[in-house]
Amino acid sequence: MTDDRLTASGIPIKGCYGPDDVPKSVHGALEAGPGRAPFVRGAYEGMYRTKPWRIFQLSGFGNPADERERLLFLLRQGEGGIIMEHDRNTADHLYDVDHPEVVARREDVGLTGAVIIGVRDYETILEGIPIEEIYTHPGGAVVQHAPFALACYWTVAKRRGIDLRQLAGTGQSDFFLTYVGCITKQQIPPRAGLRLNNDITEFCLENLPRWVPVSIAGYNGADSGLSAPDELATVFATAVEYLDALADRGRYRPEELSHKVGGVNFRVGMDFFEDIAKLRAARKMWSDLLEQRYGIGDEKARQLRIHVVTAGSALTYQQPLNNIARGTIMALASVLGGVQSLGVACYDEALSIPSEHAHQMSVRIQQILQHETGIDAVADPLGGSYYLEALTSELEARAWESFAEIEGQGGFIEALDSGWLHRRAARRQSEQWDEVENDDRLIVGVNCHQIDETPFEIDGFQGTTDAWDQAMGRLAEVRSSRDGVAARRALHELERVCRSDGNVMGPVMQAVDADVTLGEIGGVFREVWGDWEPPIRP
Amino acid sequence: MSRIIIAKTGLDGHWRGTLLVSRALRDAGFEVIMLGMARGEDIVSATVDEDADLVGLNVGGRVEVVERILDDLTVAAPGVPVFAGGVVPPWVRRRLEARGVEVFPPGSKLEEIVAAARRLTRGPSPPASAGPAATPPTEDG
């Protein structure tokens, strides 16, 4: 076994590495140091001495008041920003709570995120939270949901008299989540999604200079099976789609756009060194891509900022407290890779949405790393390691090969629409699981060191059970108390702009301000763009 | 060939476990009728119309939704066994097992799931084994 060890993505690894394993070609990149192109050694010169990574956890469940309570709890624990997770039944699908698909599963509503009908619910959640000071992801991980989520959050700010230019935060609108990893029952097609994302980006360029409009989330591709090189390749293939389509609009040049597209997300799993190498390779690839493909000379415009979510798929149902150790290891790899923000998947991930205690542990893991270990003192502390440099270089080479394959498929969206990407992810997902079934890859508690687990260590968080009933009440209240004429007018205007080449974000802002609901906006999108037909028939 | 209905009870789009299990069942020679995200009434009518031998539910939501489906199946397709996997916390597992549903939480071996499918689709089954339960690890959005 010692003779044929492989990384998680299948790169052969030797028992020991030396100077000859580090390609000469990487020396220049290493000497550039952190904060300088091609950024292998870090996005910023001072790294964590000047800017500690942001502790940034997913959270949300139940009623708006439940979500508010959990957000305040996390802020009290020392979280550095807030992420608002919304009910997947309604938010991901743009269904109101009285939609037949939702009613059929009404008890599910609110299980995986807070139920949000419209801007009033955002006001409830954010009550007492000083949003002008807090870095926020207000939801909208799924592409079609993002305009609504961002517009609601920004509208709350406007109503408080906060200048949008002051707001800092990030959108997501991720293609991997939407069209690969978590395919919904109804979703607008990827080309329409691309248009929405680019509208959001242009809106932010004009109105919210401190906002990351979209965040390409390799995590969702990787946790669906894509290997590390494929994750790198597909993230940048997505970025190219954004940049090319935006540049075609003619309003902004690539060097004005790249910073808005260059806030991305990767998955860090349990292959410690490969994932550190992946984050380092990612920064270099982005810098090189922008320089070579778009001729961007300005280094600052080529700086990639990375958010990491530690792999939920690496966490086990069996002996769940072991996941605290796994979370710590993955968090450590993320930090050694130079992340700007980090969410540690909670130890009860395989059982339920996070309990308060599990959430607290994810924050504490990061605080222990920040305060007790000293690993924040030196930028890229593993830089120069023969093994890590050889691995970074090899991963980069493989990722460019994968990138060329995607280009050969006609680009990211073509590869998505044809199902090429899904087949690739599915094949590797099966291979990975076969390794576990065949005991070629050992997972403690799953295929080795199993124990009798009765009574089970934890029972799983149950959340609230009245979210659908409460939301039905709020929906009726919104519909009866709003200015119906203004709401209808706003919806007509939204439809008109969707059918034109104008920017949808202005009309979506007007609509949510007129108490238009999530499902009504979804109705317009579906009417204009129809449904995506997923290329795979599972 | 035995026919197995596979459905996701919720609208949560985490597909990883469902896809892995479906592929394993197909590879083992079962005919898998994939309904995807399906409402209870759709699961019940497909079970009847397709004359299914077994129903597999991916649970991504509340147990009450699953129990309603079980109630309807008991009326419309009595005797068709049901097994389940997904994000099934221990207390949900206990409730479903009490209804005669075999439950395979994350980390369960596909070969155990396939073995259960063989057993459940061949007439009277031996007493349910107390072995470890069902689907591969979950992913998160």
Side-chain angles (χ1 to χ4, degrees), chain B residues 53-67:
Chain B
D53 302 291
L54 175 63
V55 175
L57 300 177
N58 171 269
V59 180
R62 296 267 182 200
V63 68
E64 290 84 355
V65 175
V66 184
E67 287 172 334

Side-chain angles (χ1 to χ4, degrees), chain A residues 308-323:
Chain A
V308 159
V309 181
T310 63
S313 64
L315 303 184
T316 64
Y317 184 94
Q318 294 73 16
Q319 303 175 47
L321 296 182
N322 291 347
N323 294 327

Side-chain angles (χ1 to χ4, degrees), chain A residues 381-392:
Chain A
L382 299 186
S385 146
Y386 303 132
Y387 172 41
L388 188 65
E389 297 304 349
L391 197 53
T392 304

